[in-house]
């Protein structure tokens, strides 16, 4: 049985006269009386079929959208060209049509712009994948995974799988647990990352490791976070801080060039403290720059002021600007004032209201130009109000602006390395210090002796780590550090975190023991593959669009009804 001689995308004008067999789903039906036009779709593309009713009346009487059919026919020149299709200059005149499988009534339209809401699309994800936007995202995901593997292999990285069923590790978030049937009352844990195992690989003499790996965190899901996610996990021996930043900057630049044909500039680098002081967040989006003003523009005396610079968006019309203003002013209980100005081509300012010229006199404008690095045709919004309220609604305001200017689809990418994070952070609920990143992060060299000698027990907030995060367009893409490779220091860090010797031995005994056998200096990084793809494709507002079978915002798979209850028999079998 031959289902097809060609796919629906490959036929062209030079194939006119060929007799072909095609199989696929019915995308559209147009009944013109004596003629029926069918858009046939398969994985590769769409082609138009022409059916003469009088020849195939019985067969075509009951066909509907998404019926799976096989057709025999001849390639003909199309009278009216469809320039939106690569096959738009031809059509297939059908001589035989068979229904391979029927389709029930669709829960939403299988179109690029579907009428399906997110819940329905997640429930019928297999239908959603038929839509070109989702299918193309998965193709992109496949291609970037290949590119990652090729790049890493060429740079002498070895891809090694690490265990999924492990013991519990202290990495910040909660672990998912898996009961053991054959070892009653004992549990495996699913890894939040392969952290310990990739460090053990370095101790094992593996010079460079990487893995595209599934990780699990039992935490509250968000639109940009899944409880089950994929990361590009990397580790290197005999490496220093700046070497890692340089290499992985090259890695990200390579991916953008290969996948998007975009040349990224040298990545900006800032300390964690400076980022917070200037932007008020540790994930700033440098495309539309949002900066704190009250401590930086000395002539502005309001309690709390935020400036939002929309670069090179002079083409925004007045109604769009008014829409942004109105959206911001909707929070009138926390906003004292909102004003905006345009920086013109001739390097003067346009004020929509004359009174703002008095408020923003020349000395302030000069400072604003320097502080925001304003360029001609930039638009600057200034928002005044109460700090805690503005910081709470600021993400909503930014998201609305991004939507109006459609910035996520503009192929503008602004990477930022953030360095010099604290090693510890104070947990108010637990009333103790916890690791800012994880407990295997090395402190700065100057602080190691102090930590080992117990000279800073009451001043841990001032200890900086050799860690780094990569943020692109306001999204944390990667995080890593130089690791501790000294046994005494690693035990001391655990103690500062409140772990007893018993706790250390129980949870990390095997790891601490491995340090006795010549542990090399090493460091690494992990990139969120889902987030990286979402940023590259402009899908960060809905990261689910780049994941084959995502969970919803409550951590549920509503297609398979997961998680689900266990039967009484299964509970008994697992000794629960």
């Amino acid at each position: 049985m031959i289902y097809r001689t060609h796919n629906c995308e490959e036929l062209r004008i030079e194939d006119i006269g060929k007799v072909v067999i095609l199989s696929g789903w019915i995308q559209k039906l147009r009944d013109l009386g004596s003629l029926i036009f069918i858009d046939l779709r398969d994985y590769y593309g769409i082609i138009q079929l022409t059916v003469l009713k009088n020849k195939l009346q019985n067969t075509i009487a009951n066909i509907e959208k998404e019926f799976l059919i096989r057709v025999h026919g001849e390639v003909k020149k199309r009278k009216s060209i469809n320039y939106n299709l690569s096959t738009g200059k031809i059509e297939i005149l059908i001589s035989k049509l068979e229904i391979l499988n029927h389709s029930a009534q669709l829960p939403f339209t299988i179109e690029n712009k579907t009428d399906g809401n997110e819940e329905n699309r997640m429930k019928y994800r297999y239908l959603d994948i038929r839509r070109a936007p989702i299918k193309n995202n998965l193709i992109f995901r496949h291609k970037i995974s290949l590119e990652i593997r090729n790049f890493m292999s060429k740079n002498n990285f070895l891809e090694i799988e690490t265990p999924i069923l492990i013991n519990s590790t202290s990495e910040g978030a909660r672990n998912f647990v898996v009961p053991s049937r054959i070892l009653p009352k004992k549990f495996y844990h699913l890894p939040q990352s392969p952290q310990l195992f990739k460090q053990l690989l370095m101790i094992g003499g593996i010079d460079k490791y990487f893995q595209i790996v599934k990780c699990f965190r039992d935490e509250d899901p968000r639109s940009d976070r899944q409880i089950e996610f994929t990361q590009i996990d990397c580790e290197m021996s005999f490496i220093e801080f700046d070497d890692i930043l340089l290499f992985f900057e090259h890695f990200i630049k390579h991916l953008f060039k290969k996948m998007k044909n975009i040349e990224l500039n040298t990545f900006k680098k800032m300390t964690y403290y400076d980022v917070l002081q200037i932007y008020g967040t540790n994930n700033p989006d440098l495309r539309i720059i949002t900066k704190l003003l009250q401590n930086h523009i000395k002539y502005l005396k309001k309690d709390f002021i935020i400036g939002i610079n929309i670069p090179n968006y002079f083409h925004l019309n007045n109604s769009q600007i008014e829409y942004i203003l109105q959206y911001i002013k909707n929070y009138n209980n926390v906003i004292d004032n909102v004003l905006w100005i345009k920086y013109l081509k001739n390097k003067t300012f346009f004020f929509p209201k004359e009174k703002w010229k008095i408020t923003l006199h020349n000395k302030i404008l000069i400072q604003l130009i320097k502080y925001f690095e304003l360029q001609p045709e930039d638009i600057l919004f200034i928002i005044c109000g109460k700090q805690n309220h503005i910081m709470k609604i600021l993400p909503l305001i930014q998201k609305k602006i991004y939507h109006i200017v459609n910035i996520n689809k503009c192929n503008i990418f602004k990477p930022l390395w953030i360095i010099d994070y604290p090693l510890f952070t104070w947990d108010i609920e637990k009333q103790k210090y916890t690791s800012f990143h994880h407990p295997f992060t090395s402190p700065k060299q100057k602080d190691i002796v102090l930590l080992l000698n117990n000279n800073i027990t009451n001043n841990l907030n001032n200890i900086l780590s050799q860690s780094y995060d990569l943020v692109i367009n306001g999204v944390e893409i990667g995080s890593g550090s130089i690791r501790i490779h000294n046994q005494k220091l690693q035990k001391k860090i655990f103690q500062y975190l409140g772990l007893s010797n018993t706790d250390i031995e129980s949870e990390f005994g095997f790891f601490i023991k491995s340090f006795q056998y010549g542990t090399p200096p090493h460091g690494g990084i992990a990139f969120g593959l889902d987030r990286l793809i979402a940023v590259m494709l402009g899908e960060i507002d809905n990261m689910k669009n780049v994941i084959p079978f995502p969970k919803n915002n409550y951590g549920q798979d509503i297609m398979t009804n997961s998680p689900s209850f266990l039967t009484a028999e299964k509970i008994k079998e697992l000794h629960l």
Side-chain angles (χ1 to χ4, degrees):
M1 179 183 285
I2 298 175
Y3 283 108
R4 58 190 180 192
T5 57
H6 299 77
N7 65 52
C8 290
E9 200 279 331
E10 63 184 310
L11 295 168
R12 295 293 186 271
I13 197 82
E14 54 267 25
D15 296 307
I16 287 174
K18 285 184 180 178
V19 176
V20 299
I21 303 172
L22 302 174
S23 292
W25 290 269
I26 296 174
Q27 175 85 13
K28 288 181 181 177
L29 282 165
R30 298 182 298 283
D31 192 336
L32 302 183
S34 61
L35 288 177
I36 290 182
F37 291 112
I38 298 173
D39 284 355
L40 187 70
R41 183 195 72 246
D42 66 5
Y43 168 82
Y44 300 95
I46 295 174
I47 195 168
Q48 179 173 285
L49 314 178
T50 302
V51 183
L52 300 174
K53 265 191 181 178
N54 58 359
K55 289 191 175 182
L56 298 169
Q57 183 69 45
N58 294 332
T59 310
I60 64 173
N62 297 312
I63 59 174
E64 298 286 349
K65 284 184 179 182
E66 295 306 311
F67 273 38
L68 187 67
I69 62 174
R70 174 173 58 180
V71 297
H72 297 238
E74 183 181 348
V75 182
K76 296 286 188 180
K77 186 175 181 179
R78 188 165 168 170
K79 291 181 180 178
S80 58
I81 296 174
N82 184 344
Y83 292 99
N84 294 320
L85 295 177
S86 56
T87 58
K89 293 182 179 180
I90 58 169
E91 61 187 6
I92 311 298
L93 181 61
I94 301 305
S95 58
K96 182 181 178 182
L97 186 151
E98 302 166 76
I99 297 174
L100 297 178
N101 223 326
H102 296 72
S103 173
Q105 185 175 349
L106 296 171
F108 52 84
T109 56
I110 311 297
E111 302 281 354
N112 287 359
K113 292 186 177 180
T114 181
D115 58 0
N117 59 34
E118 184 177 282
E119 183 176 355
N120 263 347
R121 289 175 50 226
M122 295 302 99
K123 186 174 182 180
Y124 299 94
R125 185 60 165 181
Y126 46 87
L127 294 180
D128 201 33
I129 290 172
R130 291 184 187 177
R131 298 193 306 116
I134 304 301
K135 178 194 72 176
N136 291 338
N137 286 350
L138 298 184
I139 293 171
F140 185 93
R141 188 182 181 105
H142 161 74
K143 289 180 177 178
I144 197 173
S145 296
L146 282 180
E147 197 56 49
I148 290 164
R149 288 189 163 96
N150 289 337
F151 180 91
M152 290 298 181
S153 296
K154 287 176 182 176
N155 283 277
N156 298 320
F157 281 76
L158 197 61
E159 183 170 16
I160 301 176
E161 293 181 350
T162 52
I164 294 298
L165 297 174
I166 65 170
N167 198 3
S168 173
T169 58
S170 302
E171 293 188 51
R174 297 181 184 89
N175 292 327
F176 283 100
V177 295
V178 180
S180 170
R181 177 184 59 82
I182 58 176
L183 298 170
K185 304 298 182 182
K186 290 194 174 183
F187 296 84
Y188 300 103
H189 296 252
L190 300 182
Q192 297 178 37
S193 78
Q195 183 64 46
L196 294 184
F197 290 98
K198 66 179 179 180
Q199 291 190 242
L200 290 169
L201 286 170
M202 300 300 102
I203 297 171
I206 301 298
D207 196 61
K208 297 176 183 177
Y209 142 95
F210 87 100
Q211 185 181 187
I212 300 177
V213 59
K214 280 285 186 186
C215 301
F216 309 87
R217 291 184 183 176
D218 186 8
E219 56 188 359
D220 296 338
R222 301 190 312 230
S223 61
D224 65 342
R225 176 189 291 165
Q226 291 268 301
I227 57 174
E228 174 187 359
F229 59 96
T230 306
Q231 69 182 35
I232 312 161
D233 202 55
C234 310
E235 200 77 7
M236 307 165 78
S237 284
F238 306 107
I239 198 76
E240 293 186 327
F241 187 93
D242 290 334
D243 299 325
I244 289 186
L245 267 58
L246 186 64
F247 178 82
F248 286 105
E249 181 170 322
H250 173 55
F251 167 65
I252 294 296
K253 285 180 176 178
H254 173 83
L255 293 182
F256 271 86
K257 179 62 179 174
K258 277 285 187 178
M259 303 303 300
K260 300 280 291 181
N261 196 28
I262 289 174
E263 300 269 7
L264 294 178
N265 295 324
T266 300
F267 294 7
K268 192 171 183 177
K269 191 189 299 181
M270 297 181 68
T271 68
Y272 172 72
Y273 176 80
D274 285 345
V275 166
L276 287 184
Q277 287 296 304
I278 293 171
Y279 301 110
T281 174
N282 64 334
N283 292 321
D285 189 336
L286 303 187
R287 297 170 302 170
I288 293 181
I289 300 174
T290 304
K291 289 186 175 183
L292 305 178
L293 283 171
Q294 72 276 10
N295 295 326
H296 301 275
I297 306 297
K298 64 181 180 180
Y299 297 100
L300 293 174
K301 301 298 184 183
K302 295 282 185 179
D303 290 339
F304 189 74
I305 313 170
I306 285 283
I308 303 176
N309 177 28
I310 307 178
N312 198 27
Y313 274 94
F314 193 77
H315 61 271
L316 280 180
N317 59 46
N318 287 339
S319 63
Q320 289 174 309
I321 292 174
E322 188 56 41
Y323 186 80
I324 293 171
L325 287 172
Q326 195 55 51
Y327 183 83
I328 297 172
K329 288 175 180 176
N330 283 343
Y331 300 97
N332 54 18
N333 61 324
V334 298
I335 302 296
D336 294 335
N337 203 353
V338 183
L339 53 90
W340 64 273
I341 51 177
K342 286 182 180 180
Y343 191 37
L344 305 179
K345 279 186 176 180
N346 62 5
K347 296 191 175 181
T348 62
F349 285 92
F350 167 75
F351 295 87
K353 293 187 178 180
E354 196 67 24
K355 67 176 183 178
W356 292 351
K357 282 187 179 181
I358 301 171
T359 304
L360 299 175
H361 52 75
N362 277 345
K363 287 182 179 179
I364 293 179
L365 293 174
I366 290 169
Q367 285 185 297
L368 288 174
I369 291 170
K370 183 178 180 181
Y371 187 55
F372 281 96
E373 300 176 6
L374 289 176
Q375 298 296 320
E377 302 198 344
D378 288 359
I379 296 177
L380 181 64
F381 286 84
I382 296 176
I383 306 170
C384 308
K386 301 172 184 176
Q387 178 173 353
N388 59 333
H389 290 146
I390 288 183
M391 294 308 292
K392 187 176 181 179
I393 66 170
L394 188 59
L396 300 175
I397 294 171
Q398 290 171 314
K399 190 172 182 179
K400 181 61 67 174
I401 292 174
Y402 295 166
H403 176 72
I404 290 170
V405 303
N406 201 21
I407 197 167
N408 286 331
K409 298 293 184 181
C410 291
N411 276 340
I412 300 170
F413 301 96
K414 300 280 188 178
L416 170 67
W417 283 116
I418 303 177
I419 62 173
D420 290 355
Y421 281 91
L423 188 66
F424 301 102
T425 183
W426 181 254
D427 188 316
I428 296 176
E429 288 185 10
K430 297 178 180 178
Q431 286 293 295
K432 68 173 188 174
Y433 282 102
T434 60
S435 295
F436 195 96
H437 279 99
H438 57 61
F440 320 109
T441 301
S442 176
K444 291 265 190 176
Q445 198 66 37
K446 66 181 179 62
D447 291 326
I448 290 177
V449 175
L450 297 175
L451 285 165
L452 288 174
N453 293 334
N454 296 319
N455 289 338
I456 46 175
T457 306
N458 297 321
N459 204 19
L460 291 179
N461 289 326
N462 294 332
I463 303 298
L464 298 181
S465 66
Q466 294 192 66
S467 59
Y468 32 82
D469 284 0
L470 179 63
V471 174
I472 303 179
N473 295 356
V475 180
E476 182 194 307
I477 297 298
S479 184
S481 67
I482 298 295
R483 321 301 186 190
I484 296 168
H485 65 278
N486 175 283
Q487 185 190 58
K488 187 177 179 182
L489 177 61
Q490 185 64 80
K491 288 183 74 171
K492 184 64 69 174
I493 294 297
F494 287 145
Q495 290 167 358
Y496 279 118
L497 295 172
L499 273 68
S500 67
N501 289 334
T502 302
D503 295 332
I504 295 170
E505 181 60 32
S506 171
E507 196 169 339
F508 299 106
F510 70 98
F511 184 61
I512 290 290
K513 186 175 183 179
S514 70
F515 279 44
Q516 299 175 6
Y517 302 101
T519 301
H522 59 286
I525 193 168
F527 298 96
L529 181 62
D530 308 315
R531 287 186 180 183
L532 177 61
I533 294 171
V535 167
M536 293 176 84
L537 296 179
E539 292 278 13
I540 198 59
D541 288 338
N542 195 345
M543 198 171 66
K544 301 180 189 72
N545 285 342
V546 305
I547 300 172
F549 296 98
K551 305 290 189 292
N552 68 10
N553 287 349
Y554 300 97
Q556 298 170 311
D557 182 342
I558 58 177
M559 181 181 67
T560 64
N561 193 31
S562 172
S564 58
F565 292 105
L566 293 177
T567 63
E569 182 182 3
K570 180 60 71 174
I571 290 173
K572 183 178 179 182
E573 183 181 285
L574 293 172
H575 315 285
L576 296 176

